[in-house]
């Protein structure tokens, strides 16, 4: 059974960067996109962007453009999300989530599998 | 950007009762690309419904989704103790993908 296994909690200082990983355990990224969604404490869900691993192409929400970089290593079935210029408002749980990508990966799809989340705390 | 507004914010019900959750979009969600997720404290969201009305694998049939265009509904026919949670709708018809603010279903 495929699981998305995320890296552990991080504590970062304002202005620094954080890189969170997401590994597909028991499976591969074939036919899927990997999305990143964050949730600030007590708040709702916010989509940050996605990557199509077989193409290596990423799409980002305008809000995070220029500050977020999503990459993937197909050989290890691992995706990464790096967020730079961190501020206190970036304190959140960051989730990776899988979406099926059939014949047309330009289409967005629902998220059928989620990682357990990585808490990133930004504090001086 | 498609803004999703969920109502009510909180729904207080007893086990066995019917729950009706609403999700309204600021513009039409094409092809009914709307999903519903359930989230319990300390857990990741779980997919319940996709395509506005299709149940995800392993989801009990007491969960049903309906709607099209700008108005969508999630119905839980008879609440079980494990159904008390927060529910989010999500549109995936256009970027940026967006979520509603959530409806908390709590025990009355």
């Amino acid at each position: 059974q495929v699981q998305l296994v995320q890296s552990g909690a991080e504590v970062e200082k304002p202005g620094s960067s954080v890189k969170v990983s997401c590994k597909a355990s028991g499976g591969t990224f074939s036919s899927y996109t990997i999305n990143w969604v964050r949730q600030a404490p007590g708040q709702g869900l916010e989509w940050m962007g996605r990557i199509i691993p077989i193409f290596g192409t990423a799409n980002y929400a305008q809000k995070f453009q220029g500050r977020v970089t999503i990459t993937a290593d197909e050989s290890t079935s691992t995706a990464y999300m790096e967020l730079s210029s961190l501020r206190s408002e970036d304190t959140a749980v960051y989730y990776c989530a899988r979406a099926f990508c059939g014949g047309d990966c330009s289409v967005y799809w629902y998220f059928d599998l989620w990682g357990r989340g990585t808490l990133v705390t930004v504090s001086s | 950007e498609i803004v999703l507004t969920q109502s009510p914010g909180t729904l207080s019900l007893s086990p066995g009762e019917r729950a009706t959750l609403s999700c309204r979009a600021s513009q039409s969600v094409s092809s009914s690309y709307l999903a519903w997720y359930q989230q319990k404290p300390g857990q990741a969201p779980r997919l319940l419904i996709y395509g506005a009305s299709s149940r995800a694998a392993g989801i009990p049939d007491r969960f049903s989704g309906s709607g099209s265009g700008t108005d969508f509904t999630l119905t839980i026919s008879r609440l079980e103790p494990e159904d008390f949670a927060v529910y989010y709708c999500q549109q995936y018809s256009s970027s940026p993908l967006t979520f509603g603010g959530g409806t908390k279903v709590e025990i009355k």
Side-chain angles (χ1 to χ4, degrees), chain A residues 3-6 93-96 114-118, chain B residues 42-44:
Chain A
Q3 296 180 70
L4 298 179
V5 180
Q6 297 188 224
V93 174
Y94 289 77
Y95 294 101
C96 61
W114 294 65
R116 298 181 71 171
T118 297
Chain B
Q43 296 185 18

Side-chain angles (χ1 to χ4, degrees), chain A residues 35-100:
Chain A
N35 295 257
W36 289 89
V37 176
R38 76 177 187 179
Q39 186 171 38
Q43 302 301 308
L45 302 166
E46 184 174 34
W47 180 76
M48 301 176 69
R50 69 155 189 185
I51 189 163
I52 307 170
I54 56 171
F55 298 140
T57 55
N59 308 105
Y60 304 115
Q62 181 75 17
K63 174 178 178 177
F64 299 100
Q65 197 86 29
R67 233 175 30 106
V68 68
T69 303
I70 299 174
T71 56
D73 181 345
E74 263 209 295
S75 67
T76 60
S77 297
T78 303
Y80 302 89
M81 186 284 299
E82 183 170 20
L83 188 62
S84 61
S85 303
L86 290 169
R87 35 207 188 232
S88 58
E89 310 88 88
D90 294 318
T91 294
V93 174
Y94 289 77
Y95 294 101
C96 61
R98 183 185 78 173
F100 180 69

Side-chain angles (χ1 to χ4, degrees), chain A residues 39 47 95 108 110-111 115, chain B residues 37 39 43-44 50 88 90 97:
Chain A
Q39 186 171 38
W47 180 76
Y95 294 101
Y108 291 93
Y110 53 86
F111 306 155
Chain B
Y37 300 87
Q39 187 178 36
Q43 296 185 18
Y50 63 92
Y88 294 96
Q90 177 212 24
L97 279 63

Side-chain angles (χ1 to χ4, degrees), chain B:
Chain B
E1 173 175 327
I2 297 178
V3 177
L4 299 178
T5 302
Q6 291 188 241
S7 61
T10 302
L11 203 49
S12 298
L13 295 168
S14 301
E17 289 194 293
R18 181 184 188 90
T20 303
L21 288 66
S22 173
C23 176
R24 179 160 291 177
S26 60
Q27 54 189 278
S28 184
V29 176
S30 59
S31 304
S32 293
Y33 281 178
L34 187 112
W36 289 93
Y37 300 87
Q38 176 194 68
Q39 187 178 36
K40 297 180 180 179
Q43 296 185 18
R46 177 175 73 140
L47 176 68
L48 299 175
I49 301 287
Y50 63 92
S53 61
S54 297
R55 266 188 306 276
I59 302 303
D61 60 7
R62 64 180 181 273
F63 291 92
S64 63
S66 63
S68 64
T70 60
D71 288 293
F72 299 89
T73 301
L74 174 70
T75 301
I76 310 171
S77 60
R78 286 176 53 87
L79 283 164
E80 297 288 341
E82 62 269 26
D83 298 337
F84 292 91
V86 179
Y87 294 82
Y88 294 96
C89 58
Q90 177 212 24
Q91 67 81 21
Y92 50 97
S93 71
S94 66
S95 180
L97 279 63
T98 51
F99 293 87
T103 290
K104 181 179 182 180
V105 179
E106 64 175 24
I107 299 176
K108 186 175 181 180

